[in-house]
Amino acid sequence: MYKYAGVIINSNSIQLDRLFTYEIPENLIEKIKVGSRVLVPFGLGNKKIDGFVIELYENVENIKRMKKIYSIFNEFPLLTQENLILIDQMKEKYLCTYMECIKTIIPSALFKGMKNKKEVLIFTGKLLDDKFDKEPYQSIYNIVKANNGKFTKTHLSKNFQVSLSSINTMLKHKFLIQQESIVNRYNDREYLSYEKKELNEEQKNAVNKILNCHEKKFLIHGVTGSGKTEIYMNLVQKMMDQGKESIILVPEISLTPQMVERFKGRFGKDITVFHSKLSDGERLDEWLRVKEGKVKVAIGARSAIFLPFENLGLIVIDEEHEGSYKSDSDPKYNAREIGEIKTELHNCKLVLGSATPSIETYYRCNNSEFELITLNNRADGANMPRIQIVDMREELANNNRSIFSKKLFEEIENRLNKKEQIILFLNRRGFSTFVSCRKCGYVFKCNNCDISLTYHNLGDSLICHYCGSRQKVPKLCPKCGSNYVKYFGVGTERVQEEIKKYFPQAKTLRMDFDTTRKKNSYEYIYNTFKEGKADILIGTQMIAKGLDFHNVTLVGVIAADLSLNLPDFRASERTFQLITQVSGRAGRGKKEGTVVVQTYNPESYSIISASDNNYLGFYNEEINLRNIMNYPPFSQIMLINMSSENEDLLIKNIQNVGIILKDILKNNDKIEILGPCPCEISKIKNNYRWQIIIKGDMELELKKYIRDRIYETLKEVYNHIRVSMDVNPLSLI
């Protein structure tokens, strides 16, 4: 019988990231399990704090002055044995703490004490007597009678302007009673039927290979429109037939409505949808439905990978190359890597899908770590769109200073006349890139961040896209006093303004971070365009992937160079992926598609390969460069970021860290240290930022030793300097 428990307490402190042993009181011995959330005394003052039982012991050596667990929170353990194995691996892989992992796996609502139950008012049938046959009692009586079990006391009081004391009086005299009821905050909307489609030969071969091959990990490399979603659906159906569960990951909320529409149309409403736009209560309800075995399929963004399925048969990661699968807060996990760990834990299948696989994933296919499945044709036999590159330098030489090339302008006019739809892609929101003085060159920057402010036409404002601060556009330059203040560059708002100017009859929609902040706003824009109520959809990365509109015959890439010129080793890869993905939105129906790519750098191999739909050509160029430069997949990168409001303190301490790291690695010729140096964006939200990059062949123990030495070095200033360590980051900016 277990009488003692190893508990991780709920603290962000790295110094407290270890097990503390507690005695289990007699009344809890049968109830407490590994994974239980408990309340314990901690510290000299015996402060009450929650924690999680990670281990159980029959005996311990030193029991003097050992503290006892106070109580247990939930009827069932929140963490499973598989969770604990996963947490151990995440701790090592991402250099994070127990609680950072636990808070990633468990819904935040449970830490806030939220429940999926509420006390609702029930009509008892008792008739009102003379004393109560008057207002407000008559109204309360009639409302509850007509809506039996629907309202809580608070809800009834707020929505019908009746006092809580009157409701309590009705309860006291047994005209009403309260009863606990399960809250259903999840999406139970009915969807139009999405009939099963006949698979073509490529699709059938893919399904059969995944189901019958002894390998567990697969990459489907299929051109845009090759029918990867239909393959996923067939695999999910096979899993359901076997009584197994499936997780389908999409990169972000922007893809969820269409995927949900198809899956719920095929399999009914008992599919959980899990993403960050849900409220805490909605996320808790969905998590509990999975925990209780009420659903067999989950569709969601990155965090859905942690849903507590017990009989998992399939994990699908669609658009596997997408950066949104990587978390930018601790633990800085990658959902693809978590998928691989869970594949081993549950002995299930892992399927990655993309028209533009990440360089690392395709490299692993060539090294036989993944089984490669290639789909070369569109599922319905449609042709790939024609992609034309326009050199914007020639447009300038011909005195065309518009954001639209002559070719794109003509194509837009042509499609509008034919009543066909158009997508215009620009990887930047706002009206313009920056605002500056033409006389002295002064660029308006954020006071809190080392970044130029973006002009937004709505409200005539300058907005920082990092901290959100905004200000009115000054009439005069603060440096030289001139009134030659001008907007430079182009954003989605500006594209929309230009369309209205040249094509006033066209109905436009804009899809970017600004227009999709509200709940369900993305779904509204998506459905409006799908139903043909708009002619042109203008957007950022959100429109580059997954969308399937059969009347879209033209895609215009306004400025292909925006992502190409970033100071990051993945810039060419991202440019190729974006152009290929957004090009794939054209010609998905029976009508032929055209893509116009505007660029100032038409010689770039990433732009040329994308226009030829030549992934292998791009991969071979890029993998050779990565090999020469010793970048992933040929090395690992450890990015160490340090930030502080005190710039002098930051510089002094990061230089000390740099000296220590160079001493640790002085005899290791397989590892290179870059820095310390200021980050590309050297200040965000009044915090100065510096970084060190370690690149090379790093063993797990070395990474942990580096982490521990850094924290040891900074322990005296830890409250004044923030440290972030990211193993294999997606960006070095």
Side-chain angles (χ1 to χ4, degrees), residues 26 49 57 89 94 101 129 311 386 434 481 557 673 708:
E26 286 288 333
I49 191 167
Y57 320 111
Q89 294 194 38
Y94 304 116
C101 295
D129 52 36
N311 192 21
R386 292 181 298 109
F434 62 94
V557 180
I673 298 178
D708 293 343

Side-chain angles (χ1 to χ4, degrees), residues 132 137 164-175:
F132 291 97
Y137 305 117
L164 281 171
S165 63
S166 300
I167 299 170
N168 287 331
T169 302
M170 299 284 282
L171 287 165
K172 181 181 176 182
H173 290 274
K174 301 291 191 290
F175 295 110

Side-chain angles (χ1 to χ4, degrees), residues 404 409 412-413 416 495-508 535-536:
F404 303 123
F409 189 96
I412 292 171
E413 196 170 43
L416 289 174
V495 175
Q496 193 172 33
E497 288 289 318
E498 293 289 297
I499 286 290
K500 285 178 183 176
K501 182 170 124 185
Y502 293 119
F503 306 101
Q505 79 282 12
K507 294 175 183 172
T508 62
D535 305 303
I536 302 175

Side-chain angles (χ1 to χ4, degrees), residues 1-8 19-26 28-36 38 40 52-69:
M1 186 175 290
Y2 297 113
K3 295 182 179 180
Y4 306 95
V7 176
I8 284 292
L19 291 180
F20 293 90
T21 307
Y22 285 87
E23 184 181 347
I24 305 173
E26 286 288 333
L28 294 180
I29 283 177
E30 296 297 325
K31 295 180 180 178
I32 286 180
K33 306 280 190 296
V34 168
S36 294
V38 293
V40 297
F52 287 84
V53 175
I54 304 297
E55 293 179 4
L56 291 171
Y57 320 111
E58 291 183 0
N59 297 293
V60 292
E61 288 183 8
N62 186 8
I63 61 171
K64 286 182 180 179
R65 292 185 295 175
M66 183 175 289
K67 297 176 183 180
K68 287 187 179 183
I69 293 172

Side-chain angles (χ1 to χ4, degrees), residues 399-443:
N399 208 30
N400 177 12
R401 301 190 180 279
S402 163
I403 61 173
F404 303 123
S405 62
K406 185 170 180 288
K407 176 66 181 172
L408 182 55
F409 189 96
E410 289 171 353
E411 292 288 355
I412 292 171
E413 196 170 43
N414 180 25
R415 295 314 193 277
L416 289 174
N417 290 335
K418 289 182 177 179
K419 305 294 183 190
E420 295 169 356
Q421 289 177 299
I422 300 157
I423 287 177
L424 297 178
F425 169 73
L426 179 73
N427 198 21
R428 176 174 280 124
R429 69 188 200 269
F431 190 87
S432 70
T433 313
F434 62 94
V435 178
S436 73
C437 172
R438 283 181 290 174
K439 186 174 181 182
C440 71
Y442 176 83
V443 174

Side-chain angles (χ1 to χ4, degrees), residues 340-396:
E340 289 189 64
I341 296 171
K342 293 196 78 165
T343 297
E344 296 302 322
L345 287 174
H346 292 269
N347 194 29
C348 65
K349 301 280 186 179
L350 173 65
V351 178
L352 310 183
S354 177
T356 55
S358 66
I359 295 295
E360 288 94 326
T361 300
Y362 205 83
Y363 179 79
R364 292 180 69 189
C365 286
N366 290 339
N367 285 354
S368 303
E369 293 179 53
F370 278 77
E371 281 290 312
L372 178 63
I373 298 170
T374 305
L375 308 177
N376 293 312
N377 304 293
R378 285 189 156 177
D380 55 6
N383 293 323
M384 297 298 290
R386 292 181 298 109
I387 302 177
Q388 297 173 265
I389 298 175
V390 175
D391 187 345
M392 294 301 284
R393 296 170 301 187
E394 292 180 7
E395 296 292 313
L396 280 175

Side-chain angles (χ1 to χ4, degrees), residues 144-155:
V144 176
K145 184 178 179 181
N147 300 276
N148 202 26
K150 186 175 180 182
F151 299 125
T152 63
K153 286 197 303 182
T154 306
H155 193 165

